[in-house]
Amino acid sequence: MMDQVQATIITIGDELLIGQVIDTNSAYIAQKLNSIGIAVHQRIAVGDDADSITNALDTAIAKCQVVIITGGLGPTADDITKPLLNSYFGGKMVIDQPSLTHISYIFEQIHKKPMIERNRKQAEVPDVCEVLFNQSGTAPGMLFKKNESLIFSLPGVPHEMQWLTN
Protein backbone atom coordinates (compact mmCIF):
# COMPACT_ATOMS: atom_id res chain seq x y z
CA MET A 1 0.00 0.00 0.00
CA MET A 2 1.28 3.44 -0.93
CA ASP A 3 1.82 6.15 1.67
CA GLN A 4 -0.67 9.00 1.58
CA VAL A 5 0.36 12.01 -0.51
CA GLN A 6 1.36 14.93 1.72
CA ALA A 7 0.78 18.61 0.94
CA THR A 8 1.91 21.96 2.26
CA ILE A 9 -0.09 25.15 1.78
CA ILE A 10 1.94 28.37 1.71
CA THR A 11 0.07 31.67 1.85
CA ILE A 12 1.98 34.81 0.95
CA GLY A 13 1.20 38.38 1.92
CA ASP A 14 1.97 40.92 4.62
CA GLU A 15 -1.78 41.63 4.76
CA LEU A 16 -2.34 38.07 6.04
CA LEU A 17 0.29 38.35 8.77
CA ILE A 18 -1.04 41.61 10.18
CA GLY A 19 -4.66 40.48 10.15
CA GLN A 20 -5.75 42.98 7.51
CA VAL A 21 -7.06 40.07 5.41
CA ILE A 22 -8.36 36.77 6.76
CA ASP A 23 -6.83 33.69 5.15
CA THR A 24 -9.82 31.87 3.70
CA ASN A 25 -7.69 30.30 0.94
CA SER A 26 -5.94 27.81 3.25
CA ALA A 27 -9.22 26.43 4.58
CA TYR A 28 -10.65 26.13 1.06
CA ILE A 29 -7.54 24.41 -0.31
CA ALA A 30 -7.26 22.08 2.71
CA GLN A 31 -10.87 20.96 2.24
CA LYS A 32 -10.28 20.35 -1.48
CA LEU A 33 -7.10 18.35 -0.82
CA ASN A 34 -8.76 16.31 1.92
CA SER A 35 -11.67 15.48 -0.37
CA ILE A 36 -9.28 13.83 -2.85
CA GLY A 37 -7.26 11.98 -0.22
CA ILE A 38 -4.27 14.30 0.10
CA ALA A 39 -3.21 15.01 3.68
CA VAL A 40 -2.21 18.55 4.59
CA HIS A 41 1.12 18.23 6.41
CA GLN A 42 1.45 21.93 7.24
CA ARG A 43 0.24 25.43 6.48
CA ILE A 44 2.79 28.21 6.37
CA ALA A 45 1.98 31.92 6.22
CA VAL A 46 4.77 34.27 5.16
CA GLY A 47 5.03 37.93 4.32
CA ASP A 48 6.13 39.51 1.06
CA ASP A 49 9.75 38.69 1.82
CA ALA A 50 12.07 36.73 -0.51
CA ASP A 51 13.96 34.87 2.24
CA SER A 52 10.76 33.83 4.01
CA ILE A 53 9.18 32.57 0.78
CA THR A 54 12.35 30.70 -0.22
CA ASN A 55 12.68 29.07 3.21
CA ALA A 56 9.02 28.03 3.16
CA LEU A 57 9.47 26.49 -0.30
CA ASP A 58 12.64 24.63 0.72
CA THR A 59 10.88 23.22 3.80
CA ALA A 60 7.73 22.24 1.91
CA ILE A 61 9.49 20.60 -1.04
CA ALA A 62 11.69 18.56 1.31
CA LYS A 63 8.65 17.07 3.06
CA CYS A 64 5.73 17.01 0.62
CA GLN A 65 4.79 15.85 -2.86
CA VAL A 66 2.30 18.71 -3.34
CA VAL A 67 2.95 22.35 -2.49
CA ILE A 68 0.27 24.96 -3.07
CA ILE A 69 1.21 28.63 -2.86
CA THR A 70 -1.33 31.44 -2.92
CA GLY A 71 -0.65 35.15 -3.21
CA GLY A 72 2.00 37.51 -4.45
CA LEU A 73 1.06 37.33 -8.14
CA GLY A 74 -0.53 40.77 -8.51
CA PRO A 75 0.69 43.87 -10.35
CA THR A 76 2.01 45.80 -7.34
CA ALA A 77 5.63 46.20 -6.24
CA ASP A 78 5.19 44.01 -3.15
CA ASP A 79 4.03 41.07 -5.29
CA ILE A 80 7.39 39.30 -5.59
CA THR A 81 6.31 35.67 -5.86
CA LYS A 82 6.54 35.29 -9.65
CA PRO A 83 10.07 36.70 -10.09
CA LEU A 84 11.18 34.76 -7.01
CA LEU A 85 9.80 31.49 -8.42
CA ASN A 86 11.47 32.27 -11.75
CA SER A 87 14.81 32.58 -10.00
CA TYR A 88 14.17 29.63 -7.66
CA PHE A 89 13.40 27.26 -10.54
CA GLY A 90 16.07 28.69 -12.88
CA GLY A 91 13.86 30.10 -15.62
CA LYS A 92 13.54 33.24 -17.64
CA MET A 93 10.43 35.40 -17.86
CA VAL A 94 8.39 35.15 -21.07
CA ILE A 95 5.00 36.46 -22.16
CA ASP A 96 2.20 33.89 -22.09
CA GLN A 97 0.15 34.97 -25.11
CA PRO A 98 -3.21 33.48 -24.02
CA SER A 99 -2.89 35.29 -20.68
CA LEU A 100 -1.92 38.57 -22.38
CA THR A 101 -4.91 38.31 -24.73
CA HIS A 102 -7.22 37.64 -21.77
CA ILE A 103 -5.79 40.51 -19.67
CA SER A 104 -6.10 42.89 -22.63
CA TYR A 105 -9.73 41.83 -23.07
CA ILE A 106 -10.50 42.47 -19.39
CA PHE A 107 -9.09 46.00 -19.47
CA GLU A 108 -10.14 47.11 -22.93
CA GLN A 109 -13.53 45.39 -23.30
CA ILE A 110 -14.81 45.02 -19.74
CA HIS A 111 -13.22 47.96 -17.87
CA LYS A 112 -13.09 50.13 -21.02
CA LYS A 113 -9.66 51.52 -20.21
CA PRO A 114 -6.21 50.99 -21.64
CA MET A 115 -4.02 48.31 -20.17
CA ILE A 116 -0.95 49.77 -18.48
CA GLU A 117 2.51 48.16 -18.39
CA ARG A 118 2.23 46.72 -14.89
CA ASN A 119 -0.94 44.87 -15.94
CA ARG A 120 0.76 43.65 -19.12
CA LYS A 121 3.54 42.24 -16.94
CA GLN A 122 0.99 39.95 -15.31
CA ALA A 123 1.14 37.88 -18.51
CA GLU A 124 4.85 37.24 -17.87
CA VAL A 125 5.59 33.77 -16.53
CA PRO A 126 8.74 31.71 -16.00
CA ASP A 127 9.51 29.56 -19.05
CA VAL A 128 10.04 26.58 -16.71
CA CYS A 129 6.41 26.36 -15.58
CA GLU A 130 3.18 25.06 -17.00
CA VAL A 131 0.78 28.01 -17.18
CA LEU A 132 -2.60 27.52 -15.50
CA PHE A 133 -4.92 29.81 -17.46
CA ASN A 134 -6.96 32.05 -15.17
CA GLN A 135 -10.34 32.70 -16.79
CA SER A 136 -11.48 34.47 -13.63
CA GLY A 137 -8.82 37.20 -13.40
CA THR A 138 -5.51 38.64 -14.52
CA ALA A 139 -2.92 36.52 -12.66
CA PRO A 140 -2.19 33.18 -14.33
CA GLY A 141 -1.45 30.24 -12.08
CA MET A 142 1.74 28.25 -12.53
CA LEU A 143 2.80 24.65 -12.03
CA PHE A 144 6.44 23.76 -11.34
CA LYS A 145 8.13 20.41 -10.72
CA LYS A 146 11.13 19.86 -8.46
CA ASN A 147 12.44 16.52 -7.28
CA GLU A 148 9.29 14.51 -6.58
CA SER A 149 7.12 17.56 -5.83
CA LEU A 150 4.47 19.44 -7.77
CA ILE A 151 4.42 23.12 -6.83
CA PHE A 152 1.30 25.10 -7.73
CA SER A 153 1.37 28.89 -7.51
CA LEU A 154 -2.13 30.36 -7.47
CA PRO A 155 -3.51 33.89 -7.18
CA GLY A 156 -4.34 35.13 -3.70
CA VAL A 157 -7.69 36.59 -4.76
CA PRO A 158 -10.10 33.94 -3.42
CA HIS A 159 -12.48 33.71 -6.41
CA GLU A 160 -9.53 33.43 -8.82
CA MET A 161 -7.81 30.77 -6.70
CA GLN A 162 -11.09 28.85 -6.38
CA TRP A 163 -11.68 28.96 -10.15
CA LEU A 164 -8.23 27.44 -10.73
CA THR A 165 -8.82 24.65 -8.18
CA ASN A 166 -12.16 23.52 -9.58
Side-chain angles (χ1 to χ4, degrees), residues 68-123:
I68 301 179
I69 305 165
T70 65
L73 301 181
T76 59
D78 65 333
D79 290 316
I80 62 169
T81 302
K82 198 169 6 179
L84 184 142
L85 291 172
N86 182 56
S87 175
Y88 188 87
F89 290 104
K92 72 177 190 359
M93 298 300 282
V94 296
I95 292 286
D96 179 61
Q97 192 56 52
S99 293
L100 181 60
T101 300
H102 178 66
I103 295 164
S104 297
Y105 172 80
I106 288 173
F107 280 92
E108 295 165 9
Q109 301 301 315
I110 296 174
H111 297 307
K112 303 289 186 199
K113 56 186 181 182
M115 181 173 62
I116 60 176
E117 181 59 23
R118 74 176 186 195
N119 296 116
R120 183 184 184 282
K121 284 184 75 64
Q122 287 203 271

